[in-house]
Amino acid sequence: MFSFIAFQCCSSFVLISTENKIHQAWVTNEYAEAQLHNIVRRMRARTEAYKEKLTDALLSSPEASPTASPSKKKAQPLPPPPPPPTEEKKEEREEAAKLEEDHYCDMWCYKFKKPPLKKYLKIIRLPESIDAYTDHYYVVWLLLVTIAYNWNCWFIPLRCMFPVQTSSNLFYWIIIDILCDICYLCDLLIFQPRKQFVKGGDIIADKIEMKEFYQKSLKFRFDLASVIPFDVLYVFFGFNPMFRANRVLKHNTFFEFNDRLEAILDKAYIYRVIRTTGYLLFILHINACLYYWASDYEGIGSTKWVYDGKGNMYLKCYYWAIRSLITIGGLPEPQNLFEIIFQLLNYFLGVFVFSSLIGQMRDVIGAATAGHNYYRSCMDNTVSYMNTYTIPKMVQNRVRNWYEYTWDSQGMLDESELLEQMPAKMQLAIAIDVNFAIVNKVDLFKGCDTQMIYDVLLRLKSIVYLPGDFVCKKGEIGREMYIIKQGEVHVLGGPDSTKILVTLKAGAVFGEISLLAAGGGNRRTANVVAHGFANLFILDKKSLHEILVHYPDSKRILMKKGRVLLKEKGKPTDGPNQQARGLASLFGPKPQTPKLFRALLGNSSKGSIGMLLKLKIKQADQEKKPDPEEKKPKAEAEPQTPNEQKEEPLANSQPLPNSGLHRGITNKSLIVTMTPSTTAGEGEILTVEVKEKKAGVDSG
């Protein structure tokens, strides 16, 4: 191999050098040159392929490796001969050959292979274990078993009491009975032994343990009793459907199907109403069968009380059963003791059963409408309260609109009440599916810890705003961030705050700068009004601070983003004296330019040092006090609250002409000092003092 590759490399080198020489010489034949280029390109590709094979042993080559020369080939021992097959292996091979022969079927003059039963089972792909709570295929199987169970429950009494099973249709009855028995056996032998169970908090999915658990359960005993083949007694006593009465012991599977179906239905109360109605119809069916049996015992048409034998026998008996169980009355009077006792028992049973079913129906319907009843009760109590205190009709109508829209959009008044009943993990799972896509779009939270965002999801509160409601107003203190879940809001501005600056739709975020302001001191810069019905998520500052305590890395990311946001849109513009207060306790104070430097630089909005000197000298001449060393008012103060803020003479004074210093000699000196403020968080105070020089002191 190595020698061949070396030969290939040398050949490539020779061909490359030949190619260079050809380029230098006169081209006499273009076809020959093209062929030579093609050979060189192929040799290069071949060499690269062998190099890759040397570096990577697993890489296969498109060509076979050349054999080594006999002189260099090392002598290798021959592989040992295979051991002779033992008798067991011979028997296995013979059995496999027989099985293959058995699965070949002859049809006319052709012979084809029929796959064994195991291959059919592999195609069906029955699972090793079944999760009864999440496997929908298992629910479908329970439906088939339930249909077979209902067939036996409804038609065994019918065939026993009414003469509906005759020799002409006996074949069809037996076929359907066999199909029902097959469903019972498959459930007993295949599905129920594969069902998972919980033991000590662990889900057991082992084949042997699942089988043993099912065989030790009471359900296995009932299932086994329901498939005992008493049908063989047909041979001795004839085709009497009473021998199949043990099929009704499969009731556990019927109730299991009801539980599993209710768990996966969105509106389970509809199925509960249908099932309760089915119970009532089945009891009436049994009563009709008993009435026909009593009429047959007394003699058809023998008295006025029994069935007279006219019309459809089943409908006539069912009509009598309904009037008897519901105790409507108007029935023929019983004539003998047997009829009197039968009628009394029927009345007592009817009162008990019918009242129980009516009560159960009331509970089902009441549970289905419990949420709507709570909504109506809350709305009625609120309207009664507003009427008691004579609330204006306009406000009452807005309250009604809020109730109606909240109920129609959410199906409940407060989502948090429902989620509070669940564990924290389930609350988080629901919040992630519903709200994570919206919160993840917020630029403020991009790059933060995912678990921190999950905690934010649990703190979000949903609020519905009516059309025209102010979400926030200009100038008010902002302490929340808003995320639009549904609807639209208008951001208003302009001189009269009526001009629509921008329209925000579902998924938009506003007010996030309020989460970063110091002590909630960030003021809203515009009015935000709901255009229609708007459903918003709200996250307040307190909740964010409680979350960030556990996520220092995310806190540092928010610090950086907070500074950028405060620079871009966090600075209020209401007045010239307002300063940004930094990020407060969340991000620490932001360093500011010293006020002495700003005064010396001559900020046009606050006056230069010359203007300060001119103003101080003028005030000192007007006051004419004996004490020459008198401290003057502060030239510049920190921003105050809106209620206490006063107009400063320096800020509101008109610019004075010739604000610079006058040239000449004076007996007064100007002292400018910076002293720390006594109020925490206000920085330093600039103080300007004018002093007269003492007599005899050289002013130079």
Side-chain angles (χ1 to χ4, degrees):
M1 171 70 75
F2 290 100
S3 60
F4 179 75
I5 293 174
F7 171 75
Q8 294 291 339
C9 294
C10 294
S11 301
S12 299
F13 177 75
V14 171
L15 289 174
I16 291 169
S17 60
T18 306
E19 181 182 5
N20 295 332
K21 292 179 180 179
I22 290 173
H23 277 291
Q24 294 174 1
W26 181 263
V27 179
T28 58
N29 192 338
E30 294 181 357
Y31 176 76
E33 184 184 10
Q35 292 295 328
L36 187 59
H37 279 289
N38 188 19
I39 293 173
V40 172
R41 187 166 51 255
R42 291 173 60 186
M43 294 297 293
R44 285 177 178 173
R46 193 175 184 182
T47 304
E48 292 296 331
Y50 283 112
K51 286 182 179 180
E52 290 180 2
K53 187 175 181 181
L54 283 177
T55 55
D56 190 359
L58 299 177
L59 186 63
S60 59
S61 174
E63 299 181 6
S65 301
T67 56
S69 59
S71 60
K72 296 182 180 180
K73 186 176 181 181
K74 296 181 180 180
Q76 296 181 355
L78 295 175
T86 59
E87 295 181 359
E88 296 180 357
K89 292 184 178 180
K90 288 182 180 180
E91 292 178 358
E92 290 179 359
R93 292 179 181 177
E94 291 177 359
E95 290 179 359
K98 288 181 180 180
L99 289 175
E100 290 182 357
E101 291 179 0
D102 293 340
H103 291 298
Y104 277 95
C105 300
D106 294 330
M107 181 177 289
W108 296 317
C109 58
Y110 297 100
K111 189 175 183 181
F112 63 93
K113 187 176 181 180
K114 181 181 178 182
L117 180 61
K118 290 183 178 180
K119 292 188 177 181
Y120 283 118
L121 295 178
K122 289 182 179 179
I123 295 174
I124 298 175
R125 294 179 181 178
L126 289 176
E128 295 293 332
S129 62
I130 299 174
D131 187 359
Y133 296 95
T134 59
D135 195 346
H136 290 181
Y137 292 103
Y138 178 68
V139 179
V140 174
W141 170 251
L142 291 179
L143 174 62
L144 296 177
V145 180
T146 301
I147 293 174
Y149 174 76
N150 279 277
W151 170 270
N152 292 320
C153 288
W154 284 76
F155 285 96
I156 288 177
L158 182 69
R159 292 158 63 185
C160 290
M161 305 303 176
F162 289 90
V164 294
Q165 180 175 309
T166 60
S167 58
S168 60
N169 58 14
L170 182 61
F171 174 77
Y172 302 104
W173 291 106
I174 293 177
I175 291 297
I176 298 177
D177 290 343
I178 291 174
L179 293 177
C180 294
D181 293 345
I182 291 174
C183 290
Y184 278 29
L185 288 172
C186 290
D187 186 66
L188 175 68
L189 300 176
I190 299 177
F191 288 91
Q192 294 300 327
R194 298 170 182 263
K195 193 168 68 172
Q196 300 175 2
F197 66 97
V198 179
K199 181 179 180 182
D202 297 331
I203 299 177
I204 306 301
D206 184 69
K207 227 176 183 180
I208 299 176
E209 293 186 12
M210 289 187 298
K211 187 176 181 180
E212 292 178 352
F213 178 79
Y214 173 63
Q215 292 177 354
K216 293 179 181 179
S217 63
L218 182 62
K219 182 180 180 181
F220 171 75
R221 300 173 187 175
F222 279 106
D223 292 348
L224 184 62
S226 65
V227 295
I228 296 177
F230 290 112
D231 307 61
V232 296
L233 298 178
Y234 287 170
V235 180
F236 305 101
F237 301 99
F239 291 97
N240 189 352
M242 187 59 67
F243 296 135
R244 294 182 54 83
N246 62 321
R247 301 298 189 271
V248 300
L249 297 177
K250 193 73 174 176
H251 60 279
N252 289 319
T253 304
F254 171 73
F255 292 115
E256 182 183 3
F257 168 73
N258 292 330
D259 295 338
R260 299 283 75 78
L261 186 61
E262 290 180 6
I264 62 177
L265 289 178
D266 294 334
K267 297 182 179 180
Y269 66 90
I270 297 178
Y271 176 73
R272 296 191 191 106
V273 172
I274 296 174
R275 184 185 61 193
T276 306
T277 305
Y279 290 160
L280 177 60
L281 296 177
F282 178 73
I283 293 174
L284 294 174
H285 169 76
I286 298 297
N287 194 24
C289 295
L290 292 176
Y291 174 68
Y292 185 86
W293 170 81
S295 300
D296 187 44
Y297 178 78
E298 287 286 317
I300 302 297
S302 59
T303 62
K304 294 182 179 180
W305 183 81
V306 300
Y307 168 60
D308 57 1
K310 299 178 181 179
N312 190 298
M313 54 184 175
Y314 181 76
L315 291 179
K316 280 286 190 75
C317 295
Y318 203 89
Y319 174 76
W320 183 92
I322 292 175
R323 300 192 65 176
S324 177
L325 277 181
I326 303 179
T327 63
I328 296 177
L331 297 174
E333 295 293 333
Q335 303 296 324
N336 51 39
L337 180 62
F338 174 79
E339 295 177 356
I340 293 173
I341 294 175
F342 186 89
Q343 188 67 41
L344 288 175
L345 293 176
N346 205 359
Y347 279 145
F348 289 143
L349 183 64
V351 171
F352 174 74
V353 173
F354 190 73
S355 60
S356 300
L357 291 176
I358 293 299
Q360 185 177 0
M361 187 74 73
R362 182 201 62 187
D363 295 339
V364 170
I365 297 176
T369 59
H372 191 269
N373 293 336
Y374 173 74
Y375 152 70
R376 295 301 311 178
S377 176
C378 292
M379 186 172 179
D380 293 342
N381 293 335
T382 304
V383 172
S384 177
Y385 173 83
M386 291 188 296
N387 291 332
T388 302
Y389 289 93
T390 320
I391 304 297
K393 290 295 182 181
M394 183 180 66
V395 179
Q396 293 189 20
N397 293 334
R398 293 181 64 82
V399 172
R400 289 191 181 95
N401 291 338
W402 181 87
Y403 270 105
E404 292 174 359
Y405 176 79
T406 304
W407 176 259
D408 293 339
S409 61
Q410 300 180 173
M412 61 189 69
L413 297 179
D414 189 2
E415 296 178 350
S416 60
E417 293 181 359
L418 178 64
L419 297 177
E420 285 177 357
Q421 301 175 3
M422 302 180 183
K425 294 296 182 181
M426 293 185 180
Q427 294 182 23
L428 178 60
I430 295 175
I432 290 173
D433 293 335
V434 176
N435 305 325
F436 181 74
I438 298 176
V439 177
N440 200 32
K441 296 179 182 178
V442 181
D443 294 336
L444 184 65
F445 297 137
K446 287 184 179 179
C448 296
D449 191 354
T450 305
Q451 189 61 41
M452 190 275 288
I453 299 178
Y454 290 165
D455 292 346
V456 170
L457 293 176
L458 296 176
R459 301 297 184 96
L460 292 178
K461 298 179 182 179
S462 178
I463 295 182
V464 175
Y465 289 90
L466 301 180
D469 281 353
F470 279 89
V471 180
C472 57
K473 292 185 178 181
K474 182 178 180 180
E476 68 180 9
I477 303 300
R479 300 182 180 88
E480 305 90 5
M481 179 189 73
Y482 299 91
I483 304 174
I484 303 177
K485 178 182 179 182
Q486 187 179 6
E488 297 179 357
V489 297
H490 291 326
V491 180
L492 305 180
D496 53 353
S497 297
T498 57
K499 181 181 178 181
I500 299 177
L501 301 179
V502 67
T503 300
L504 302 178
K505 299 183 180 181
V509 180
F510 62 95
E512 67 271 21
I513 195 64
S514 299
L515 299 180
L516 310 176
N522 182 70
R523 297 184 179 275
R524 306 292 188 188
T525 57
N527 294 333
V528 180
V529 181
H531 174 59
F533 289 96
N535 193 346
L536 307 181
F537 286 125
I538 293 180
L539 176 65
D540 57 1
K541 181 181 299 185
K542 180 180 178 182
S543 301
L544 181 64
H545 287 185
E546 293 176 355
I547 294 173
L548 290 179
V549 172
H550 307 285
Y551 302 98
D553 295 337
S554 299
K555 183 177 180 180
R556 285 192 292 270
I557 294 174
L558 290 178
M559 287 172 61
K560 296 179 181 178
K561 293 186 177 182
R563 294 190 185 99
V564 176
L565 289 174
L566 287 174
K567 288 180 180 179
E568 293 178 354
K569 54 183 176 179
K571 295 182 180 180
T573 58
D574 292 343
N577 293 331
Q578 293 186 355
Q579 304 284 343
R581 290 182 176 270
L583 304 182
S585 59
L586 180 60
F587 303 114
K590 179 181 177 181
Q592 299 181 359
T593 304
K595 298 179 181 179
L596 179 59
F597 291 164
R598 291 201 300 268
L600 292 175
L601 291 174
N603 191 352
S604 61
S605 62
K606 298 182 181 180
S608 61
I609 189 66
M611 185 182 296
L612 290 174
L613 178 59
K614 185 77 173 180
L615 182 61
K616 292 299 179 180
I617 295 175
K618 184 177 180 180
Q619 290 179 355
D621 294 338
Q622 291 177 356
E623 292 177 0
K624 295 181 180 179
K625 290 186 179 180
D627 187 5
E629 297 181 0
E630 180 181 0
K631 294 184 180 180
K632 300 299 178 180
K634 299 178 182 179
E636 185 178 357
E638 289 292 319
Q640 301 177 358
T641 58
N643 296 332
E644 298 177 357
Q645 188 175 4
K646 298 181 181 181
E647 297 182 356
E648 298 289 343
L650 176 61
N652 298 329
S653 61
Q654 298 296 330
L656 299 176
N658 301 326
S659 58
L661 290 173
H662 292 279
R663 297 182 180 273
I665 299 174
T666 180
N667 61 342
K668 296 181 180 180
S669 61
L670 179 67
I671 300 176
V672 182
T673 59
M674 295 290 292
T675 58
S677 175
T678 57
T679 304
E682 291 190 356
E684 298 178 344
I685 299 175
L686 175 65
T687 305
V688 180
E689 298 181 3
V690 180
K691 292 186 178 181
E692 293 185 359
K693 296 181 181 180
K694 296 181 180 180
V697 179
D698 188 8
S699 61

